[in-house]
């Protein structure tokens, strides 16, 4: 895999990036991030990702990051590596300070790291055709999941449990059984021909792909509803799919070993995959 980084404005191979042990991202997870897909050398939904990054920075009070400059750095790095099918990762930390103290340091310069890496969509494309299995797992995260922070330990443990069960993802549930989202994806379900998803005001990440799919569903005349799905309701749903930057629209055909609907990707999911692909093609056709 080819990966080129940009650390505070300096382009270098990703393996050569060195960050201080005193960096607060490393010590406290005091950092926010974004992951963006690049199709044919062009960042997809870039405005939306940068807007969410701005909101995350504001929410944790990291100030002084020039996002116009950061965006230019991303473009310079894509250009320098001549990336085509790729993705980029941005992480901003509150910077370094000595000694280690929990409260914000008086003076610290945020660290701005970007990298661009080649992305092979082959395995995910296959999963999009066949559908994947998922598990359900307790949602052990904090109460500010709308912030895209690098504090991902609860997500990591849930996703590892999914992998150990031979599954692609973990649907997270609250103590009352309500499903919120997945470890690194949003989810939708289909019931009585309507596409439903957890309300955005709940404690979930406002997924960029989720928002796009909500809009596309409306335009494709598919009824859209926000609501709550509990683990007990799973036997009564017709379809379920995940959305995310690299997953796009990914059908789920099994949950905890039991089939979803007929155990194959359903017609509404297929329709949304189609309109998603069309939206990407229209974006790429623009000058
Ligand atoms: N994950 N929910 C969670 C908890 C996520 O971490 C993500 C993204 C999503 C989907 O959001 P989007 O459509 O904006 O990619 C939902 C990224 C890709 C990651 O952590 O790698």
């Amino acid at each position: 895999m080819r990966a080129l980084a940009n650390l505070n404005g300096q382009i270098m191979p990703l393996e050569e990036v060195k960050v201080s042990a005193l960096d607060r991202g490393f010590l406290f997870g005091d950092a926010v991030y974004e992951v963006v897909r690049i199709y044919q050398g062009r960042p997809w939904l870039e405005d939306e990702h940068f807007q969410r990054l701005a909101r995350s920075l504001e929410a944790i009070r990291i100030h002084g990051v020039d996002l116009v400059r950061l965006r230019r750095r991303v473009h310079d790095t894509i250009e320098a590596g001549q990336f085509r099918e790729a993705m980029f990762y941005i992480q901003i930390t509150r910077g370094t300070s000595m000694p280690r103290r929990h409260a914000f340091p008086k003076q610290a310069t945020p660290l701005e790291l970007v990298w661009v890496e080649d992305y092979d969509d082959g395995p995910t494309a296959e999963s999009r055709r066949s559908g994947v299995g998922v598990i359900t797992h307790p949602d052990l995260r904090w109460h500010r999941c709308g912030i895209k922070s690098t504090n991902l330990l609860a997500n990591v443990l849930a996703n590892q449990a999914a992998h150990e069960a031979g599954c692609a993802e973990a649907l997270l549930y609250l103590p009352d059984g309500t499903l919120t989202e997945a470890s690194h994806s949003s989810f939708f379900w289909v019931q009585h021909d309507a596409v439903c998803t957890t309300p955005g005001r709940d404690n979930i990440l406002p997924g960029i792909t989720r928002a796009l799919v909500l809009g596309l569903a409306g335009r494709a005349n598919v009824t859209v509803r926000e609501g709550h799905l509990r683990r007990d309701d799973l036997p009564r749903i017709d379809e379920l799919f995940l959305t995310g930057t690299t997953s796009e629209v990914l059908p789920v055909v099994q949950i905890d070993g039991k089939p979803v609907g007929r155990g194959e990707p359903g017609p509404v999911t297929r329709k949304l995959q189609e309109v998603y692909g069309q939206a990407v093609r229209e974006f790429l056709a623009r000058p």
Side-chain angles (χ1 to χ4, degrees), residues 33 35 49 52 141 148 152 155 181-186 205-210 243-245:
Y33 76 108
V35 180
H49 282 279
R52 186 172 63 186
R141 302 173 304 160
K148 199 159 171 61
L152 291 171
N155 308 59
E181 61 180 326
S183 76
H184 60 85
S185 330
S186 316
L205 183 79
I208 302 298
T209 321
R210 174 184 176 280
T243 64
T245 291

Side-chain angles (χ1 to χ4, degrees), residues 73-187:
R73 287 179 185 168
V74 169
H75 295 175
D76 290 348
T77 314
I78 295 172
E79 178 73 27
Q82 292 287 298
F83 287 95
R84 301 290 298 161
E85 292 309 307
M87 53 187 251
F88 70 82
Y89 177 87
I90 296 179
Q91 179 167 331
I92 314 255
T93 81
R94 201 179 302 278
T96 59
S97 65
M98 176 99 142
R100 176 184 177 275
R101 292 278 182 272
H102 286 65
F104 300 171
K106 286 218 166 50
Q107 275 187 329
T109 308
L111 173 131
E112 301 177 19
L113 172 67
V114 171
W115 79 72
V116 187
E117 65 180 63
D118 283 328
Y119 177 69
D120 172 12
D121 189 52
T124 312
E126 178 48 41
S127 297
R128 268 183 229 117
R129 282 189 284 276
S130 59
V132 297
V134 302
I135 60 164
T136 55
H137 190 277
D139 190 344
L140 303 174
R141 302 173 304 160
W142 70 330
H143 297 286
R144 302 290 305 278
C145 295
I147 302 171
K148 199 159 171 61
S149 100
T150 59
N151 276 285
L152 291 171
L153 191 52
N155 308 59
V156 165
L157 294 176
N159 196 259
Q160 178 62 21
H163 276 258
E164 287 171 10
C167 288
E169 251 290 24
L171 295 180
L172 308 176
Y173 62 88
L174 300 174
D176 72 354
T178 304
L179 295 157
T180 53
E181 61 180 326
S183 76
H184 60 85
S185 330
S186 316
F187 81 95

Side-chain angles (χ1 to χ4, degrees), residues 30-76:
D30 190 356
V32 293
Y33 76 108
E34 280 295 328
V35 180
V36 183
R37 179 75 161 86
I38 298 166
Y39 295 103
Q40 297 179 19
R42 296 172 64 175
W44 168 238
L45 304 173
E46 194 184 19
D47 288 346
E48 290 83 347
H49 282 279
F50 271 90
Q51 282 156 13
R52 186 172 63 186
L53 180 61
R55 289 198 302 271
S56 296
L57 287 167
E58 184 59 34
I60 68 165
R61 294 157 60 196
I62 292 183
H63 301 302
V65 177
D66 182 341
L67 292 180
V68 174
R69 183 180 69 177
L70 187 66
R71 204 161 158 158
R72 209 174 318 119
R73 287 179 185 168
V74 169
H75 295 175
D76 290 348

